[in-house]
Amino acid sequence: QVQLVESGGGLVQPGGSLRLSCAASGSSSSINAMGWYRQAPGKQRELVAQITSGGNTNYADSVKGRFTISRDNAKNTVYLQMNSLKPEDTAVYDCALWGTDDYWGQGTQVTVSS
């Protein structure tokens, strides 16, 4: 069983930055990729960013150039650096791990508002 522990959400003004972290603990036979989804009220769930164990990254068009995903394989931790935040980035951000099995975190709220 794998647990994903997220941190780093909060309230930030437009144009500000936040860094999300997600640490995977517990047993896991293999990890292919980790990443982040988000879901805003009334909107569909969106894959924000993903990084493979080999370091390949994938971003939603809406965050390209503003968000950066990185990973510490030794710590099984993935980070999402979010810059130039906009009100439309407000959502619950949920960490995900894709491997032998797939896992999701509990979610962390990100609110961008003045």
Side-chain angles (χ1 to χ4, degrees), residues 38-99:
R38 71 183 180 186
Q39 187 164 22
K43 294 188 177 180
Q44 287 190 329
R45 194 182 193 194
E46 175 185 32
L47 178 60
V48 176
Q50 184 182 55
I51 185 167
T52 69
S53 57
N56 294 318
T57 58
N58 180 43
Y59 295 94
D61 288 342
S62 57
V63 307
K64 283 180 180 177
R66 300 187 297 121
F67 290 11
T68 302
I69 190 169
S70 60
R71 178 173 172 176
D72 185 334
N73 287 337
K75 297 180 179 180
N76 285 338
T77 299
V78 65
Y79 306 96
L80 185 67
Q81 179 65 43
M82 304 185 294
N83 298 328
S84 302
L85 283 161
K86 304 175 181 180
E88 51 263 42
D89 293 317
T90 296
V92 175
Y93 286 70
D94 197 4
C95 177
L97 182 155
W98 296 272

